[in-house]
Each structure stands twice: as structure tokens, then as C-alpha cells.
Amino acid sequence: MRKQNEDGHFADLGNGVWMVADGMGGHTNGKLASEALVAAVGAVRVPETLDAACDVVANAIHSANTAIFGHAQEAGVQMGSTVVALVVRGEEFAVLWAGDSRAYLLRDGQLIQLTRDHTQVQEMVDRGLLDQADVEDHPMKHVLSRAVGVQDTLEIDAIRDYAQTRDLFLLCSDGLYGVVEEAEIARMLGEHGIAAGDALIAASLAGGAPDNVTVALVSVNEPTLLVVNGASS
């Protein structure tokens, strides 16, 4: 339903880094914010060890935060972006994120959400002020509590774990999971595997697609052998 795609995505198979960003602040400002994130991460040389690679990617995101926030202050506008990034090194992986773009893992037929949304309603759930069952219909469910470029400092959450053969990672903006039920996402990932990108995008469009939708898929054939795919609309 939007004329301009405010989402951004980045993939570097050689360095084992993938990222999805969802811009906010209107068509132009949102696009500028997500593009600044993609440019910042794409410009860095990622080290070989997982810890060092995560530090470099996180520093790039922090640099983008400073640039986006500074531009917004100078222009007198509101702008920012979510970010979710996957870093893979050998048998290990890490996910870094800020905002409500998500990382999922399909393992043994089970879809696991790896990230926790940085939204006002999720924080209410975490504090016991709201039941998880009431999140979907809450009027503030899309109000972010954290995003890149909104404040002069940024806190990035991160997790790390070990990958297994046949793992399938999905990075996506809320244009996917906000429209397509997780059970349907799991079904399509199980049916199509690494080629599920187009089917996921089509399902979002068929559901009305009130927002841009971007997906990135990373399949682990062996702990050190990766196959990638992605799509955006």
C-alpha cells in the first residue's frame, strides 16, 4: 500500500552477515534511515571471530544511529529504523537487533522466535501489565520502545548460539509477521525451504500488505556451508 519501500536489507555471504532494516518517519525519512544502516554495515570489514565480528557490526549500527539522529536533529524531523542482523561464523551464530524486525529459526519443523520486540506493549507484557493474548488487538502494538536514530544513544540486544545442519534462519520486517500468521510462516518455510522468500512475500501481499515487507533466508546445509535467499516489496 506504500508507494516507496522504506525497508532496507544487506547480505554478504563471504563475511557471513545479513541484515534487515525497517525505516520509519515517513517515506523519504524512513528510506534514508534504512539506507544509512545498510551503508554503515556494508562499509565495514568484518573480522573472522564471532565476538570481533559482532563488535564490528554493532559499532556500525551505533555509527548509523549517530548519523541518523544528527540528521534528524538538523532537519527538525523524526526518523529512524529498526534493525536485525545475523552473523554466522563456523558452527556459531549471533543475532543483533533493535526495534521490532525479527529473526526466526526453523529447526526440526519448529519455528522459534529468536528476538524480542522492542515495543511498548512487549515491555508491558514483560512487566506483567498485559497478557500476551491481548497484544494483537492493543492500539499501541506498533509503538517502538527502541530504534536506530531515535535517540543519541542506542542499546542493541544480542544472542548467540550454535547452528545445526538443516537450520533455516528468517530475518524479516513486521510487514511479514504482522500479516502472515507464524503457523503459516512455519508451513511455508517447511515446504519451500530456502526458496520460500517469494511465497512469504506473496502471502503478505495477499493479506493486504499495509506495510513494506522484506525477508532474508539463510539455510545451513552444514555448520560451515550456507545458502541464502531473500525478497522485498
Side-chain angles (χ1 to χ4, degrees), residues 40-59:
V41 174
V44 298
R45 183 179 180 277
V46 185
E48 292 185 4
T49 66
L50 183 62
D51 284 342
C54 289
D55 286 344
V56 167
V57 172
N59 287 339

Side-chain angles (χ1 to χ4, degrees), residues 60-71:
I61 295 172
H62 282 298
S63 295
N65 182 79
T66 299
I68 295 168
F69 181 76
H71 177 80

Side-chain angles (χ1 to χ4, degrees), residues 218-233:
V218 180
S219 175
V220 182
N221 289 343
E222 298 176 5
T224 56
L225 179 61
L226 303 172
V227 181
V228 298
N229 199 356
S232 179
S233 178

